[in-house]
Amino acid sequence: NISGISPGFYGLLVTDSFGCNSVVIASVTPTLPSIKPICLVTVDTTAKTVEVVWEKPIGSYIAGFRVYRESSQPGVYQVVGFVPYDSLSVFTDTISDPNQRWWKYRISMLDICGSEGPLSPEHRTIHLSVTFVTADSVGLIWNEYIGYAFSQYYIYRYDTASGWVKIDSVP
């Protein structure tokens, strides 16, 4: 078992006690583990940022993680950041304003040789739109979160005296 080998071709020359030689050539390719999926994407509408959070796999050969965001063309993802392995597994996207629309993200791992693993499944933020129906009534419209399934959306309203108060839930 040899550690620290870069990808490429390697040869082993063996000579027996009679002076006969034999050569074996092997190809070494990096193998990254399957990417752990994104845990969640969340938004801070005040700071106008999106945070992407994931669980780091344990491995000394991981250089870091690339973060991808879907472009204006559906299904086409572009790199928006890199997080080194020794950093927290959180990326803050300061360019994508969550007040404007929803955003989709994926991540991948890079090994210490620069090889990139597969992209994770996508996660999409929730974008909430508020419409004023009457002077004392509002309508709420939002898109479905993509990334994992859950059965309820809980609706909270902020009250200066009580803080966030749950007012309803919908399937």
Side-chain angles (χ1 to χ4, degrees):
N1 188 13
I2 302 172
S3 62
I5 296 179
S6 298
F9 290 95
Y10 291 86
L12 176 65
L13 173 64
V14 178
T15 305
D16 66 14
S17 60
F18 299 109
C20 298
N21 294 327
S22 181
V23 175
V24 176
I25 297 177
S27 172
V28 175
T29 56
T31 304
L32 287 173
S34 299
I35 185 74
K36 295 210 180 234
I38 293 171
C39 294
L40 68 103
V41 292
T42 187
V43 300
D44 181 338
T45 54
T46 304
K48 297 182 181 179
T49 61
V50 178
E51 285 198 346
V52 181
V53 181
W54 63 94
E55 183 181 347
K56 253 191 285 197
I58 297 173
S60 59
Y61 53 86
I62 302 170
F65 305 87
R66 279 192 182 144
V67 180
Y68 290 82
R69 184 186 64 226
E70 188 177 50
S71 69
S72 57
Q73 188 176 13
V76 176
Y77 286 81
Q78 298 172 329
V79 176
V80 292
F82 177 79
V83 177
Y85 182 76
D86 60 357
S87 298
L88 288 175
S89 53
V90 175
F91 173 75
T92 302
D93 184 353
T94 58
I95 298 172
S96 306
D97 183 353
N99 295 317
Q100 300 298 316
R101 59 171 288 222
W102 53 261
W103 301 95
K104 285 185 184 177
Y105 294 87
R106 299 174 87 175
I107 60 172
S108 69
M109 280 191 298
L110 264 68
D111 71 9
I112 56 176
C113 298
S115 297
E116 184 173 13
L119 291 176
S120 70
E122 66 188 12
H123 277 244
R124 180 177 70 183
T125 62
I126 294 175
H127 179 255
L128 174 65
S129 297
V130 179
T131 58
F132 293 93
V133 179
T134 64
D136 59 348
S137 174
V138 296
L140 304 175
I141 301 170
W142 63 89
N143 62 285
E144 176 186 8
Y145 182 91
I146 292 178
Y148 54 84
F150 50 91
S151 59
Q152 294 284 111
Y153 288 93
Y154 296 102
I155 301 169
Y156 289 81
R157 177 176 34 222
Y158 187 77
D159 178 6
T160 54
S162 307
W164 288 101
V165 177
K166 182 178 157 190
I167 59 170
D168 202 357
S169 66
V170 294

